[in-house]
Amino acid sequence: MIKRGFLLKFFFLTVLTYSLKSQDLGHSLSLKNKGFVLGQFSMGYGYYLNGGALLSTGFEYKMGKFLSPKWSLGGGIAYTQFKPLDGLYGISLLSELRYFLRDETKNWRFSGVADAGIGIGGSRIQTGWGSNGLGLRLYSGASIHRKIQNNMSLMLEIGYLYQNLSYKDNTPGRGWQIFQTESILKYHFRRIQIKTGLFF
Amino acid sequence: MKNAIFVLTVFYLFFSLNSCLKDTCENVYTYQRFDPVYVKPEVLRQKVAASVSKELVTTGKIYVYGDYLLINEPDLGIHVVDNKVPANPKFISFLKIPGNSDLAVRNGLLYADSYVDLVVLDLKNPLDVKEIYRLENAFPSYGKDEKLGLLVAYRAAGVTETFPCAENSGNTFFEGNVIWTRDNNSLTSGLKTPSGTVGIGGSTARFTMNQGLLYTVSTSNLTAFKLEDNGVTKLVSTQNVGWNIETIYPFEGLLLIGSQNGMYIYGIDNPEKPQLLSTFEHWRACDPVVSDGKTAFVTLRGGTECEGFLNQLDVINISDVRNPKLIKSYPMYHPIGLSINQGLLFICEDDRGIKLYDTKDLNAIDKNLIYQDKSFSAVDIIVLEEDKIAIITGEEGIWQFSYKNPAKWELLSNIKSKTND
């Protein structure tokens, strides 16, 4: 069952995506016809603890291509669920560098991507759990793109994600824990992610 | 093609270097661990004698006897302070008493706990205090180890451990007041035992005196000791009075016992064996209690060690001691020790200092705040009625105020504890 909080975050990110797109930042930065917005939907698989299939959503605003027509630099925000049973999630700000093997005129294109960012964690389920500072996010992947319209392509990507997040349990001592004062859970999440999405 | 190989190689290297897909998690767990304290009998039972005065490090309970102020240094002993001139108190000696936390004085004899023992000291010459009697094993111990000695207490220590999240916790688990540990040599259960012409003790005291008897409360027991003038002390009765007992306060033939579950009123028509007259129960909270005979004032405070969430003053009609009735509850910040004297109610409000109320209208005490000082933290108080002096203990030390003008107190002296320098 999808939680209301998840839907709210999804809605927020969607609105953010389209508002960024509507600003047409590519023109304001004089990068003619180079800016685009990426919406992506990803699945990952993790092991250990409450590992299993999980969903994440992320949206990126591409500042534009530069260096060469095959390179692009992007920035974005990603929301990732890591332990569904505990409701653990991370929200990260990231920047990514992508390299395309073929130019935009081709129907099939391939790209390699690496991103780095910082994130904060939280829990949708565990009351009293909050973030305990910023955690590092690193991602690398390879993608295949299929043009479906002018300026639009389908993307399938496989990648590897590492994210470090720590959660502080602020729940006051109760019952058998009356002498507990603090608990900080420091997670190192490692995921293979499969992403699909549209490039605009 | 070269580019494709380059991208795939980079991806493969990154992936292979992080080939483990296992999440890892560390729990950095900070908690209070209770370590056992063993004392060899020959060390515990060395004769207590006065030594040169020393600096106050941590403020414990206080006791006023004549011109002397006795300050407990928790687990270490007692400072003897000449307080003839409250504006200029002088430390004159230190009594090294291992495991001491409570004290009381009668006819020049100081009664103090020393872990499981009750020691009696001749206080007539404060510069030359001597141990004259020791009642061994007056208080229950937790056991004995042939090599390590008597298991006399558990000392709380702040511990931070890091371990994999898949493990439940560190070495210690807590369940109510029972502590469990994985270490076979460590504790199995329990909390510390009670550690205190008659002087005046504070409202958080666990020792009190009446009719030649010393009454002490432990976590669950009320014990009566018969006192002889030569110092010989005999245990005459001990009875279970509940759980989480905290304080004892005597007034006109009654013993008011504060616990985390309520207030117990004991009659002492038979002084050697107090009888339970009634109980006034409340939700879990720590609760020192004082009384002027007709009314009992109980401060309830919540927090980790007290469990519960109540922070209030309960005013209870005890004119019928067998049927105490709540008059009114007043919300407070975090009240601890208190004192009632000639209609003036003094309340220590932890880090919000001291408050003084007029109790002429028991239904409107909160509207009759006479004085408040938030500039220091206050834990317990002793009021010297004749001189109109309030002696207040707190985390930072001891304050002495003159309250001749109740609305405008005058600071006489401040003894700072070293811990808070």
Side-chain angles (χ1 to χ4, degrees), chain B residues 29-146:
Chain B
Y29 193 73
T30 304
Y31 62 96
Q32 291 268 294
R33 189 180 67 203
F34 286 76
D35 297 322
V37 177
Y38 289 95
V39 178
K40 291 191 183 287
E42 60 270 23
V43 174
L44 172 66
R45 286 162 184 157
Q46 284 177 349
K47 289 271 186 186
V48 177
S51 58
V52 290
S53 64
K54 53 190 271 188
E55 205 174 357
L56 178 65
V57 177
T58 308
T59 312
K61 293 175 183 174
I62 55 173
Y63 198 90
V64 173
Y65 181 69
D67 290 332
Y68 296 102
L69 174 61
L70 306 174
I71 306 170
N72 158 246
E73 184 93 42
D75 283 341
L76 298 177
I78 295 169
H79 298 272
V80 181
V81 179
D82 182 344
N83 200 36
K84 278 191 196 77
V85 184
N88 186 27
K90 290 177 182 169
F91 283 68
I92 56 174
S93 63
F94 181 72
L95 312 176
K96 186 182 172 187
I97 308 173
N100 173 251
S101 65
D102 272 280
L103 64 158
V105 183
R106 172 183 173 266
N107 293 344
L109 300 181
L110 166 63
Y111 298 82
D113 62 333
S114 177
Y115 289 125
V116 295
D117 289 354
L118 178 67
V119 291
V120 185
L121 307 170
D122 187 340
L123 194 64
K124 291 185 186 82
N125 179 359
L127 291 170
D128 187 26
V129 177
K130 286 178 181 165
E131 177 180 328
I132 58 169
Y133 190 78
R134 176 180 290 263
L135 183 61
E136 295 184 1
N137 303 311
F139 307 109
S141 78
Y142 300 114
K144 191 177 177 182
D145 183 280
E146 290 301 323

Side-chain angles (χ1 to χ4, degrees), chain B residues 403-421:
Chain B
Y403 67 94
K404 280 175 184 158
N405 177 355
K408 193 175 180 184
W409 293 19
E410 179 191 350
L411 177 64
L412 300 176
S413 63
N414 174 212
I415 302 168
K416 286 187 177 170
S417 59
K418 202 176 172 184
T419 333
N420 287 281
D421 274 356

Side-chain angles (χ1 to χ4, degrees), chain B residues 229-245:
Chain B
D229 286 340
N230 60 2
V232 173
T233 304
K234 290 176 184 166
L235 191 155
V236 290
S237 73
T238 185
Q239 57 182 302
N240 185 285
V241 289
W243 190 244
N244 291 326
I245 304 300

Side-chain angles (χ1 to χ4, degrees), chain A residues 60-195:
Chain A
E60 300 172 359
Y61 181 78
K62 296 291 183 182
M63 298 299 291
K65 296 176 183 177
F66 70 102
L67 297 175
S68 83
K70 292 181 177 178
W71 287 94
S72 74
L73 187 66
I77 182 170
Y79 168 82
T80 310
Q81 284 194 38
F82 288 104
K83 284 180 65 188
L85 290 182
D86 285 342
L88 296 191
Y89 64 83
I91 296 175
S92 300
L93 287 173
L94 58 95
S95 62
E96 71 168 41
L97 187 63
R98 187 177 292 272
Y99 181 77
F100 287 92
L101 295 180
R102 306 176 81 185
D103 64 47
E104 291 179 75
T105 60
K106 303 290 192 295
N107 284 336
W108 289 95
R109 302 176 75 200
F110 306 96
S111 68
V113 63
D115 79 42
I118 52 172
I120 58 170
S123 174
R124 294 181 298 109
I125 297 172
Q126 304 281 0
T127 53
W129 283 32
S131 178
N132 183 56
L134 299 173
L136 176 69
R137 170 200 160 98
L138 294 170
Y139 173 81
S140 178
S143 317
I144 182 167
H145 304 253
R146 167 64 181 165
K147 184 186 282 188
I148 54 175
Q149 283 181 22
N150 279 341
N151 297 326
M152 184 179 286
S153 65
L154 267 176
M155 182 198 78
L156 179 65
E157 183 173 294
I158 182 168
Y160 181 82
L161 171 70
Y162 165 82
Q163 183 139 22
N164 162 232
L165 290 172
S166 64
Y167 303 85
K168 188 173 182 179
D169 182 359
N170 294 315
T171 310
R174 67 265 178 190
W176 59 274
Q177 289 182 314
I178 60 170
F179 299 109
Q180 179 184 338
T181 55
E182 190 176 85
S183 180
I184 297 173
L185 303 170
K186 293 183 175 178
Y187 278 99
H188 302 271
F189 295 111
R190 298 177 178 89
R191 295 285 187 273
I192 289 178
Q193 290 198 317
I194 299 170
K195 298 181 183 178

Side-chain angles (χ1 to χ4, degrees), chain B residues 123-303:
Chain B
L123 194 64
K124 291 185 186 82
N125 179 359
L127 291 170
D128 187 26
V129 177
K130 286 178 181 165
E131 177 180 328
I132 58 169
Y133 190 78
R134 176 180 290 263
L135 183 61
E136 295 184 1
N137 303 311
F139 307 109
S141 78
Y142 300 114
K144 191 177 177 182
D145 183 280
E146 290 301 323
K147 290 180 182 170
L148 300 172
L150 295 165
L151 175 51
V152 290
Y154 293 99
R155 188 160 292 150
V159 176
T160 298
E161 290 186 343
T162 301
F163 51 87
C165 296
E167 291 183 15
N168 286 328
S169 72
N171 292 323
T172 311
F173 304 88
F174 304 96
E175 189 172 2
N177 283 325
V178 180
I179 310 166
W180 301 90
T181 176
R182 292 177 179 161
D183 181 354
N184 292 333
N185 292 323
S186 194
L187 62 140
T188 52
S189 70
L191 293 174
K192 196 178 181 304
T193 46
S195 357
T197 12
V198 175
I200 307 168
S203 63
T204 58
R206 285 172 173 265
F207 277 25
T208 195
M209 289 183 169
N210 196 66
Q211 300 179 43
L213 288 147
L214 168 69
Y215 298 100
T216 70
V217 287
S218 67
T219 304
S220 57
N221 289 338
L222 168 61
T223 305
F225 297 91
K226 189 167 180 56
L227 312 177
E228 307 284 346
D229 286 340
N230 60 2
V232 173
T233 304
K234 290 176 184 166
L235 191 155
V236 290
S237 73
T238 185
Q239 57 182 302
N240 185 285
V241 289
W243 190 244
N244 291 326
I245 304 300
E246 296 190 313
T247 61
I248 184 168
Y249 183 84
F251 197 87
E252 293 181 356
L254 298 174
L255 295 176
L256 305 182
I257 294 175
S259 82
Q260 287 186 12
N261 299 317
M263 175 186 70
Y264 302 94
I265 302 177
Y266 276 76
I268 43 178
D269 288 342
N270 177 2
E272 294 190 359
K273 193 167 185 187
Q275 312 85 43
L276 177 65
L277 301 178
S278 60
T279 302
F280 179 82
E281 292 187 347
H282 55 64
W283 294 101
R284 291 184 75 81
C286 294
D287 75 332
V289 51
V290 296
S291 172
D292 61 4
K294 292 179 181 175
T295 310
F297 300 89
V298 182
T299 54
L300 309 183
R301 73 180 188 278

